[in-house]
């Protein structure tokens, strides 16, 4: 039974956390050890960086460059502290977002130079790459409604959700560009379908890795 690494991507409202939970349950029912992680975060240092990036009262003036580096500082820690040891121990690693979010949000969304973004990602992750990435796609209107509901209901403000519509349109274009460039690894699923249908489409992609 081989270790493998799956990442989930997409804007808000695609059901990433629900589907990661369902997939983890399915894999654990096969007696596999599964590690569920999220980015930014997933380590004590990473969770502090997440707070700085998203919720800190001091973060309003953060520059896109600082944002890029903090996302990747959290990632560098997660890769070395958790992901590599887990894979070396034969575990399955499921991560809610990974470096494709940086390409989409900081590269396309914040319009930072894509070659620089790629170099910084390469420095943060080295050879640790996902075997499979699943993009849970929903239309912009769905993720917009989700962000608004979270902002109104939640006690915590999230700086990443304060960007305007054109930012999220660019993020979508970023994910589409990655899907076109990396068709062997990166799969876009229609997350507006019923949960059961999306779950089975995810399983069709993960099963060959789980049974290898
Ligand atoms: P979430 O965990 O609630 O999805 O929030 C994470 C936020 O951080 C989300 O708005 C996407 C953003 N993000 C980036 O901009 N770049 C990254 O590299 C990662 C991992 C997340």
């Amino acid at each position: 039974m081989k270790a493998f690494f799956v990442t989930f991507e997409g804007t808000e409202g695609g059901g990433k956390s629900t589907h990661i939970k369902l997939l983890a349950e399915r894999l654990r029912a096969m007696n596999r050890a599964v590690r569920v992680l999220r980015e930014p975060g997933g380590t004590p240092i990473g969770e502090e960086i997440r707070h700085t990036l998203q919720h800190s009262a001091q973060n309003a003036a953060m520059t896109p460059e600082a944002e890029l580096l903090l996302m990747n500082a959290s990632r560098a820690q997660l890769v070395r502290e958790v992901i590599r040891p887990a894979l070396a121990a034969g575990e399955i690693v499921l991560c809610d977002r990974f470096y494709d979010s940086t390409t989409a949000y900081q590269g396309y969304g914040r319009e930072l130079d894509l070659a620089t973004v790629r170099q910084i990602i390469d420095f943060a992750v080295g050879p640790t790459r996902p075997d499979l990435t699943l993009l849970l796609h929903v239309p912009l209107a769905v993720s917009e409604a989700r962000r608004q509901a979270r902002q109104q209901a939640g006690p915590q403000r999230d700086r990443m959700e304060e960007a305007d519509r054109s930012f999220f349109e660019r993020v979508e274009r970023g994910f589409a560009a990655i899907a076109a460039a990396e068709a062997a690894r990166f799969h876009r699923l229609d997350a507006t379908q019923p949960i059961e249908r999306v779950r089975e489409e995810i399983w069709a992609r993960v099963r060959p890795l789980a049974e290898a």
Side-chain angles (χ1 to χ4, degrees):
M1 288 194 295
K2 282 189 6 202
F4 61 91
F5 178 22
V6 181
T7 60
F8 288 75
E9 295 285 357
T11 51
E12 290 68 25
K16 282 190 277 87
S17 35
T18 302
H19 284 291
I20 290 173
K21 198 161 156 267
L22 290 171
L23 178 59
E25 280 167 9
R26 195 164 199 164
L27 291 164
R28 286 182 182 129
M30 296 167 72
N31 287 323
R32 295 295 307 256
V34 182
R35 194 73 69 112
V36 174
L37 302 168
R38 71 169 178 182
E39 276 210 329
T43 63
I45 289 171
E47 291 296 327
E48 287 198 0
I49 294 173
R50 181 183 179 94
H51 175 76
T52 302
L53 278 162
Q54 294 177 254
H55 311 301
S56 158
Q58 267 67 258
N59 71 13
M62 189 181 296
T63 65
E65 291 79 3
E67 181 179 290
L68 170 68
L69 292 167
L70 285 173
M71 292 289 178
N72 282 281
S74 170
R75 177 166 304 133
Q77 188 70 29
L78 183 68
V79 163
R80 287 157 187 81
E81 186 177 330
V82 184
I83 298 178
R84 286 183 191 165
L87 293 172
E91 294 184 27
I92 296 167
V93 177
L94 307 180
C95 197
D96 187 340
R97 301 189 183 278
F98 199 51
Y99 57 67
D100 298 307
S101 276
T102 300
T103 305
Y105 284 78
Q106 281 68 55
Y108 285 82
R110 303 284 191 223
E111 300 183 293
L112 292 173
D113 175 63
L114 288 174
T116 306
V117 168
R118 197 169 307 120
Q119 281 179 340
I120 288 172
I121 290 171
D122 288 348
F123 180 67
V125 303
T128 304
R129 309 278 162 168
D131 297 291
L132 172 70
T133 301
L134 299 166
L135 173 71
L136 300 185
H137 179 264
V138 288
L140 207 56
V142 173
S143 52
E144 229 161 37
R146 171 66 176 265
R147 278 192 297 277
Q148 273 166 13
R150 279 221 303 218
Q151 268 168 13
Q152 279 157 18
Q156 269 186 321
R157 120 179 200 285
D158 184 342
R159 192 184 58 86
M160 290 304 302
E161 299 189 355
E162 289 169 354
D164 60 14
R165 174 175 256 257
S166 63
F167 172 85
F168 289 101
E169 285 168 353
R170 290 194 298 278
V171 169
E172 280 303 322
R173 283 208 296 281
F175 281 129
I178 300 166
E182 292 199 59
R185 169 181 69 89
F186 194 96
H187 301 282
R188 181 180 190 270
L189 307 180
D190 174 3
T192 62
Q193 302 179 99
I195 272 201
E196 199 46 40
R197 183 73 200 270
V198 179
R199 177 176 181 254
E200 290 316 309
E201 288 190 8
I202 290 172
W203 186 237
R205 297 282 178 189
V206 175
R207 189 177 184 169
L209 292 168
E211 293 180 351

PDB file of all heavy atoms in Angstrom, residues 12 16 39-40 50 54 71 75 97-98 101-102 105-106 150 160, ligand 1:
ATOM      1  N   GLU A  12     -14.464  29.524  -2.533  1.00  0.00           N
ATOM      2  CA  GLU A  12     -15.370  29.154  -1.445  1.00  0.00           C
ATOM      3  C   GLU A  12     -16.672  28.558  -1.988  1.00  0.00           C
ATOM      4  O   GLU A  12     -17.093  28.890  -3.080  1.00  0.00           O
ATOM      5  CB  GLU A  12     -15.701  30.399  -0.597  1.00  0.00           C
ATOM      6  CG  GLU A  12     -14.552  30.928   0.248  1.00  0.00           C
ATOM      7  CD  GLU A  12     -13.412  31.540  -0.574  1.00  0.00           C
ATOM      8  OE1 GLU A  12     -13.651  32.000  -1.708  1.00  0.00           O
ATOM      9  OE2 GLU A  12     -12.277  31.524  -0.082  1.00  0.00           O
ATOM     10  N   LYS A  16     -15.197  21.814  -0.273  1.00  0.00           N
ATOM     11  CA  LYS A  16     -13.912  21.126  -0.084  1.00  0.00           C
ATOM     12  C   LYS A  16     -13.861  20.381   1.245  1.00  0.00           C
ATOM     13  O   LYS A  16     -13.485  19.210   1.274  1.00  0.00           O
ATOM     14  CB  LYS A  16     -12.741  22.130  -0.113  1.00  0.00           C
ATOM     15  CG  LYS A  16     -12.359  22.577  -1.506  1.00  0.00           C
ATOM     16  CD  LYS A  16     -11.049  23.358  -1.486  1.00  0.00           C
ATOM     17  CE  LYS A  16     -11.198  24.795  -1.127  1.00  0.00           C
ATOM     18  NZ  LYS A  16     -11.195  25.318   0.151  1.00  0.00           N
ATOM     19  N   GLU A  39      -4.266  24.565   4.355  1.00  0.00           N
ATOM     20  CA  GLU A  39      -3.339  25.675   4.110  1.00  0.00           C
ATOM     21  C   GLU A  39      -4.112  26.976   3.926  1.00  0.00           C
ATOM     22  O   GLU A  39      -5.179  26.953   3.308  1.00  0.00           O
ATOM     23  CB  GLU A  39      -2.555  25.411   2.826  1.00  0.00           C
ATOM     24  CG  GLU A  39      -1.356  24.544   2.992  1.00  0.00           C
ATOM     25  CD  GLU A  39      -0.302  24.909   1.961  1.00  0.00           C
ATOM     26  OE1 GLU A  39      -0.658  25.344   0.851  1.00  0.00           O
ATOM     27  OE2 GLU A  39       0.865  24.776   2.271  1.00  0.00           O
ATOM     28  N   PRO A  40      -3.564  28.127   4.350  1.00  0.00           N
ATOM     29  CA  PRO A  40      -2.402  28.178   5.228  1.00  0.00           C
ATOM     30  C   PRO A  40      -2.754  27.581   6.576  1.00  0.00           C
ATOM     31  O   PRO A  40      -3.914  27.616   6.981  1.00  0.00           O
ATOM     32  CB  PRO A  40      -2.104  29.678   5.332  1.00  0.00           C
ATOM     33  CG  PRO A  40      -3.402  30.354   4.995  1.00  0.00           C
ATOM     34  CD  PRO A  40      -4.110  29.450   4.047  1.00  0.00           C
ATOM     35  N   ARG A  50      -1.523  31.835   9.503  1.00  0.00           N
ATOM     36  CA  ARG A  50      -2.904  31.939   8.998  1.00  0.00           C
ATOM     37  C   ARG A  50      -3.655  33.087   9.684  1.00  0.00           C
ATOM     38  O   ARG A  50      -4.349  33.868   9.036  1.00  0.00           O
ATOM     39  CB  ARG A  50      -3.642  30.612   9.240  1.00  0.00           C
ATOM     40  CG  ARG A  50      -5.076  30.607   8.742  1.00  0.00           C
ATOM     41  CD  ARG A  50      -5.783  29.297   9.082  1.00  0.00           C
ATOM     42  NE  ARG A  50      -7.151  29.328   8.617  1.00  0.00           N
ATOM     43  CZ  ARG A  50      -7.559  28.855   7.438  1.00  0.00           C
ATOM     44  NH1 ARG A  50      -6.719  28.289   6.629  1.00  0.00           N
ATOM     45  NH2 ARG A  50      -8.816  28.944   7.083  1.00  0.00           N
ATOM     46  N   GLN A  54      -5.210  36.203   7.634  1.00  0.00           N
ATOM     47  CA  GLN A  54      -6.653  36.294   7.450  1.00  0.00           C
ATOM     48  C   GLN A  54      -7.369  37.127   8.506  1.00  0.00           C
ATOM     49  O   GLN A  54      -8.241  37.919   8.165  1.00  0.00           O
ATOM     50  CB  GLN A  54      -7.252  34.876   7.390  1.00  0.00           C
ATOM     51  CG  GLN A  54      -6.774  34.133   6.141  1.00  0.00           C
ATOM     52  CD  GLN A  54      -7.286  32.702   6.074  1.00  0.00           C
ATOM     53  OE1 GLN A  54      -6.540  31.769   6.298  1.00  0.00           O
ATOM     54  NE2 GLN A  54      -8.562  32.539   5.778  1.00  0.00           N
ATOM     55  N   MET A  71       2.257  32.928   2.812  1.00  0.00           N
ATOM     56  CA  MET A  71       1.610  31.683   2.372  1.00  0.00           C
ATOM     57  C   MET A  71       2.666  30.585   2.222  1.00  0.00           C
ATOM     58  O   MET A  71       2.452  29.433   2.609  1.00  0.00           O
ATOM     59  CB  MET A  71       0.909  31.864   1.015  1.00  0.00           C
ATOM     60  CG  MET A  71      -0.307  32.768   1.035  1.00  0.00           C
ATOM     61  SD  MET A  71      -1.693  32.002   1.893  1.00  0.00           S
ATOM     62  CE  MET A  71      -2.916  33.320   1.794  1.00  0.00           C
ATOM     63  N   ARG A  75       3.658  27.049   4.209  1.00  0.00           N
ATOM     64  CA  ARG A  75       3.785  25.819   3.387  1.00  0.00           C
ATOM     65  C   ARG A  75       5.130  25.127   3.615  1.00  0.00           C
ATOM     66  O   ARG A  75       5.187  23.896   3.739  1.00  0.00           O
ATOM     67  CB  ARG A  75       3.630  26.221   1.915  1.00  0.00           C
ATOM     68  CG  ARG A  75       3.806  25.098   0.923  1.00  0.00           C
ATOM     69  CD  ARG A  75       3.294  25.520  -0.429  1.00  0.00           C
ATOM     70  NE  ARG A  75       1.914  25.950  -0.319  1.00  0.00           N
ATOM     71  CZ  ARG A  75       1.413  27.075  -0.855  1.00  0.00           C
ATOM     72  NH1 ARG A  75       2.157  27.863  -1.597  1.00  0.00           N
ATOM     73  NH2 ARG A  75       0.152  27.388  -0.669  1.00  0.00           N
ATOM     74  N   ARG A  97      -6.287  22.889  -0.008  1.00  0.00           N
ATOM     75  CA  ARG A  97      -5.452  23.884  -0.692  1.00  0.00           C
ATOM     76  C   ARG A  97      -3.962  23.536  -0.576  1.00  0.00           C
ATOM     77  O   ARG A  97      -3.508  23.026   0.430  1.00  0.00           O
ATOM     78  CB  ARG A  97      -5.645  25.313  -0.167  1.00  0.00           C
ATOM     79  CG  ARG A  97      -7.074  25.812  -0.300  1.00  0.00           C
ATOM     80  CD  ARG A  97      -7.126  27.297   0.042  1.00  0.00           C
ATOM     81  NE  ARG A  97      -8.487  27.805   0.001  1.00  0.00           N
ATOM     82  CZ  ARG A  97      -9.102  28.162  -1.122  1.00  0.00           C
ATOM     83  NH1 ARG A  97      -8.488  28.069  -2.284  1.00  0.00           N
ATOM     84  NH2 ARG A  97     -10.333  28.613  -1.085  1.00  0.00           N
ATOM     85  N   PHE A  98      -3.224  23.882  -1.626  1.00  0.00           N
ATOM     86  CA  PHE A  98      -1.760  23.768  -1.619  1.00  0.00           C
ATOM     87  C   PHE A  98      -1.249  24.788  -2.628  1.00  0.00           C
ATOM     88  O   PHE A  98      -1.898  25.832  -2.820  1.00  0.00           O
ATOM     89  CB  PHE A  98      -1.353  22.315  -1.942  1.00  0.00           C
ATOM     90  CG  PHE A  98       0.054  21.933  -1.532  1.00  0.00           C
ATOM     91  CD1 PHE A  98       0.518  22.159  -0.249  1.00  0.00           C
ATOM     92  CD2 PHE A  98       0.926  21.329  -2.436  1.00  0.00           C
ATOM     93  CE1 PHE A  98       1.807  21.801   0.128  1.00  0.00           C
ATOM     94  CE2 PHE A  98       2.215  20.965  -2.076  1.00  0.00           C
ATOM     95  CZ  PHE A  98       2.656  21.195  -0.795  1.00  0.00           C
ATOM     96  N   SER A 101      -3.267  27.170  -5.099  1.00  0.00           N
ATOM     97  CA  SER A 101      -3.956  28.366  -4.579  1.00  0.00           C
ATOM     98  C   SER A 101      -3.042  29.576  -4.673  1.00  0.00           C
ATOM     99  O   SER A 101      -3.505  30.697  -4.915  1.00  0.00           O
ATOM    100  CB  SER A 101      -4.385  28.168  -3.119  1.00  0.00           C
ATOM    101  OG  SER A 101      -5.613  27.486  -3.042  1.00  0.00           O
ATOM    102  N   THR A 102      -1.738  29.383  -4.462  1.00  0.00           N
ATOM    103  CA  THR A 102      -0.815  30.519  -4.572  1.00  0.00           C
ATOM    104  C   THR A 102      -0.753  31.018  -6.012  1.00  0.00           C
ATOM    105  O   THR A 102      -0.772  32.227  -6.269  1.00  0.00           O
ATOM    106  CB  THR A 102       0.597  30.117  -4.091  1.00  0.00           C
ATOM    107  OG1 THR A 102       0.509  29.716  -2.727  1.00  0.00           O
ATOM    108  CG2 THR A 102       1.568  31.270  -4.205  1.00  0.00           C
ATOM    109  N   TYR A 105      -4.353  32.705  -6.525  1.00  0.00           N
ATOM    110  CA  TYR A 105      -4.699  33.900  -5.730  1.00  0.00           C
ATOM    111  C   TYR A 105      -3.615  34.974  -5.782  1.00  0.00           C
ATOM    112  O   TYR A 105      -3.904  36.151  -5.976  1.00  0.00           O
ATOM    113  CB  TYR A 105      -4.982  33.528  -4.260  1.00  0.00           C
ATOM    114  CG  TYR A 105      -6.320  32.872  -4.029  1.00  0.00           C
ATOM    115  CD1 TYR A 105      -6.515  31.525  -4.341  1.00  0.00           C
ATOM    116  CD2 TYR A 105      -7.403  33.569  -3.504  1.00  0.00           C
ATOM    117  CE1 TYR A 105      -7.736  30.897  -4.134  1.00  0.00           C
ATOM    118  CE2 TYR A 105      -8.633  32.958  -3.288  1.00  0.00           C
ATOM    119  CZ  TYR A 105      -8.793  31.626  -3.602  1.00  0.00           C
ATOM    120  OH  TYR A 105     -10.010  31.016  -3.395  1.00  0.00           O
ATOM    121  N   GLN A 106      -2.335  34.563  -5.554  1.00  0.00           N
ATOM    122  CA  GLN A 106      -1.288  35.594  -5.541  1.00  0.00           C
ATOM    123  C   GLN A 106      -0.795  35.886  -6.964  1.00  0.00           C
ATOM    124  O   GLN A 106      -0.493  37.024  -7.299  1.00  0.00           O
ATOM    125  CB  GLN A 106      -0.116  35.161  -4.644  1.00  0.00           C
ATOM    126  CG  GLN A 106      -0.373  35.347  -3.146  1.00  0.00           C
ATOM    127  CD  GLN A 106      -1.445  34.427  -2.600  1.00  0.00           C
ATOM    128  OE1 GLN A 106      -1.363  33.202  -2.740  1.00  0.00           O
ATOM    129  NE2 GLN A 106      -2.472  35.014  -2.001  1.00  0.00           N
ATOM    130  N   ARG A 150     -20.676  34.103   5.106  1.00  0.00           N
ATOM    131  CA  ARG A 150     -19.660  33.895   6.148  1.00  0.00           C
ATOM    132  C   ARG A 150     -19.301  35.204   6.821  1.00  0.00           C
ATOM    133  O   ARG A 150     -19.120  35.269   8.039  1.00  0.00           O
ATOM    134  CB  ARG A 150     -18.394  33.271   5.534  1.00  0.00           C
ATOM    135  CG  ARG A 150     -18.500  31.786   5.339  1.00  0.00           C
ATOM    136  CD  ARG A 150     -17.231  31.037   5.708  1.00  0.00           C
ATOM    137  NE  ARG A 150     -16.055  31.475   4.996  1.00  0.00           N
ATOM    138  CZ  ARG A 150     -15.101  30.633   4.577  1.00  0.00           C
ATOM    139  NH1 ARG A 150     -15.233  29.347   4.769  1.00  0.00           N
ATOM    140  NH2 ARG A 150     -14.031  31.091   3.980  1.00  0.00           N
ATOM    141  N   MET A 160      -8.710  37.842   3.299  1.00  0.00           N
ATOM    142  CA  MET A 160      -8.663  37.252   1.962  1.00  0.00           C
ATOM    143  C   MET A 160     -10.019  37.339   1.251  1.00  0.00           C
ATOM    144  O   MET A 160     -10.102  37.217   0.052  1.00  0.00           O
ATOM    145  CB  MET A 160      -8.227  35.786   2.018  1.00  0.00           C
ATOM    146  CG  MET A 160      -6.780  35.556   2.402  1.00  0.00           C
ATOM    147  SD  MET A 160      -5.587  36.425   1.346  1.00  0.00           S
ATOM    148  CE  MET A 160      -5.974  35.775  -0.267  1.00  0.00           C
TER     149      MET A 160
HETATM  150  P1  LIG B   1      -9.973  28.881   3.561  1.00  0.00           P
HETATM  151  O1  LIG B   1      -9.094  27.881   4.252  1.00  0.00           O
HETATM  152  O2  LIG B   1     -11.140  29.290   4.351  1.00  0.00           O
HETATM  153  O3  LIG B   1     -10.274  28.467   2.159  1.00  0.00           O
HETATM  154  O4  LIG B   1      -9.111  30.220   3.461  1.00  0.00           O
HETATM  155  C1  LIG B   1      -7.853  30.276   2.919  1.00  0.00           C
HETATM  156  C2  LIG B   1      -7.766  31.568   2.145  1.00  0.00           C
HETATM  157  O5  LIG B   1      -6.408  31.786   1.773  1.00  0.00           O
HETATM  158  C3  LIG B   1      -8.570  31.540   0.877  1.00  0.00           C
HETATM  159  O6  LIG B   1      -9.124  32.816   0.675  1.00  0.00           O
HETATM  160  C4  LIG B   1      -7.536  31.274  -0.190  1.00  0.00           C
HETATM  161  C5  LIG B   1      -6.302  31.900   0.373  1.00  0.00           C
HETATM  162  N1  LIG B   1      -5.028  31.305  -0.059  1.00  0.00           N
HETATM  163  C6  LIG B   1      -4.202  32.048  -0.883  1.00  0.00           C
HETATM  164  O7  LIG B   1      -4.524  33.164  -1.257  1.00  0.00           O
HETATM  165  N2  LIG B   1      -3.006  31.506  -1.275  1.00  0.00           N
HETATM  166  C7  LIG B   1      -2.583  30.268  -0.863  1.00  0.00           C
HETATM  167  O8  LIG B   1      -1.495  29.819  -1.232  1.00  0.00           O
HETATM  168  C8  LIG B   1      -3.463  29.514   0.014  1.00  0.00           C
HETATM  169  C9  LIG B   1      -3.050  28.165   0.478  1.00  0.00           C
HETATM  170  C10 LIG B   1      -4.667  30.078   0.377  1.00  0.00           C
END
